[in-house]
Structure formats: C-alpha cells, structure tokens
Amino acid sequence: MNMKGLVIVLAMILSATVVQGFPMFKRGRCLCIGPGLRAVKVADIAKASIIYPSNSCDKIEVIITLKAHKGQRCLNPRSKQAGLIIKQVERKNSLKH
C-alpha cells in the first residue's frame, strides 16, 4: 500500500473512533415518549411518580400507575392535572423531611 492509501485508512479509523464518542441523542433516555396524556380519571389513579431531569433525561416526567392492572401512563408535565400532581407530591415529600 502506498503512503497516500495508508493516510486515508488511518484518517478513516481516527474519524470512526471520534464519532463513536459523540452522543447520538441529545435528550438521553426518557421513559415517556411523546408529549403524554393531558388528563386521567382521578378514580383510576393508584400511584403517581415524578421523575425529575437527570443526566439520562433532561425533562420532568409524570408517570401514573393505574388501578386494576391497567398499566402506566405518562402525563404531559405542562397539563393542569400534572401540575396539581407535582404540587401534591412535592408537598407530601416536604412533610416527610
């Protein structure tokens, strides 16, 4: 192989290793995909979880566990119901401390 070919191969290897180090997704891995629901029937809610922004996901997530084994749903954190749930959870957590 001539010198020009060797330089091209080395440049390709170097660029491949540099590209591997770049994060592919800026937002990270969030549990909720999409904007989420605006509201859920209050009677169907068994548990509410708030996941605050972290290194893996840069947005707040409101996850509702439904009664009767109906699974979990994500609420839009900007919705009115999610705002009320966030306030309730924060108030509950502040009373524990």
Side-chain angles (χ1 to χ4, degrees):
M1 201 187 267
N2 62 14
M3 189 61 127
K4 188 176 179 182
L6 183 62
V7 170
I8 291 173
V9 170
L10 287 175
M12 287 174 43
I13 292 172
L14 180 63
S15 66
T17 58
V18 170
V19 170
Q20 258 184 341
F22 289 139
M24 293 300 288
F25 303 103
K26 184 180 178 187
R27 301 198 103 188
R29 293 180 172 244
C30 299
L31 297 174
C32 296
I33 298 171
L37 301 174
R38 297 179 103 200
V40 176
K41 288 183 183 178
V42 176
D44 291 341
I45 297 174
K47 180 181 157 187
S49 302
I50 311 296
I51 301 174
Y52 293 97
S54 66
N55 291 337
S56 60
C57 180
D58 63 352
K59 65 180 185 175
I60 189 167
E61 297 180 302
V62 181
I63 300 175
I64 302 297
T65 303
L66 301 172
K67 293 179 182 175
H69 305 292
K70 292 185 180 178
Q72 295 181 327
R73 301 287 185 266
C74 292
L75 282 182
N76 185 337
R78 293 186 182 110
S79 71
K80 185 176 179 180
Q81 187 180 30
L84 294 171
I85 290 171
I86 291 169
K87 284 181 185 177
Q88 268 186 333
V89 170
E90 287 177 348
R91 189 177 316 129
K92 188 177 178 180
N93 287 342
S94 68
L95 292 176
K96 287 183 180 179
H97 294 113

